Amino acid sequence: MYTSPSDPHDPHGPTPPALSAGSAGRVEPAETAGGTPRAFAPREDGTVVGVGIDVVDVPRLDAAFVRTPALLTRLLTPGEREMSAASRAARVAAKEAVGKALGSPGDFSWHDVTVRRNGARKPYLVLEGATLRAAERLGVGHLHLSLSHDGSIATAIVVAERESDPPADHRAGTSPSSGHTGAEAGA
């Protein structure tokens, strides 16, 4: 809970400025002092289909591959199998994050999702099979990917975004199957 901005003992810092709805539903600060901050509130126009994140313990995954060599073949494509342990773990995290961003398509295949890099070494996703069909059903036009590995942890974040106006049953974060909004669905 925020306290008065003049309270020097407030562990949360100063009270943020009041927010008001700006143009196009964007939330912006109502008043600012000494600068022009901008709030980046979640979109409610159906542009974002979903967000997925996954974290993989690199040594644990590597040990699983040693114990069960078939797991390596099941999860990774031939090119991915040749990568370093940290890069393999990041690929597994990316595949999991895609599934979460798309709402866990039922007939998901690990080989349906691959990570490639462009000329600037920025990673991007390539989908095929059932995972591609699930993305197309949801109207996904863009998948944003961020990968990271540090020490023994690999992480991937995927944001699935619509290319154009969503169908009416997908607007405002409403899931056609559940009738719940994204805010109600929980984490």
Side-chain angles (χ1 to χ4, degrees):
M1 182 162 130
Y2 285 100
T3 59
S4 165
S6 61
D7 182 354
H9 303 291
D10 180 10
H12 301 288
T15 304
L19 301 177
S20 64
S23 62
R26 191 171 58 236
V27 177
E28 298 175 4
E31 295 180 30
T32 61
T36 316
R38 178 176 161 212
F40 292 88
R43 295 187 71 126
E44 295 182 10
D45 63 0
T47 299
V48 175
V49 174
V51 177
I53 183 169
D54 198 66
V55 178
V56 174
D57 183 292
V58 177
R60 183 175 173 196
L61 180 65
D62 215 32
F65 288 154
V66 170
R67 272 191 324 275
T68 313
L71 185 62
L72 185 68
T73 304
R74 181 175 160 234
L75 299 183
L76 300 171
T77 65
E80 293 170 330
R81 291 178 215 144
E82 302 302 318
M83 296 178 163
S84 70
S87 291
R88 288 193 309 251
R91 287 346 182 247
V92 170
K95 293 168 190 252
E96 283 277 357
V98 166
K100 291 173 182 177
L102 298 179
S104 300
D107 46 358
F108 174 85
S109 167
W110 292 92
H111 289 225
D112 283 354
V113 179
T114 54
V115 176
R116 297 203 180 135
R117 292 192 178 272
N118 66 14
R121 307 260 321 130
K122 182 177 181 178
Y124 66 94
L125 292 157
V126 177
L127 304 184
E128 59 184 289
T131 307
L132 175 59
R133 288 189 298 277
E136 289 172 342
R137 264 191 317 273
L138 293 168
V140 173
H142 302 283
L143 289 170
H144 305 273
L145 171 65
S146 180
L147 298 175
S148 182
H149 43 79
D150 185 24
S152 65
I153 300 295
T155 306
I157 298 173
V158 172
V159 176
E161 179 182 332
R162 272 189 230 301
E163 189 155 17
S164 59
D165 287 337
D169 61 350
H170 285 94
R171 287 196 178 101
T174 302
S175 166
S177 60
S178 69
H180 295 291
T181 65
E184 296 167 340

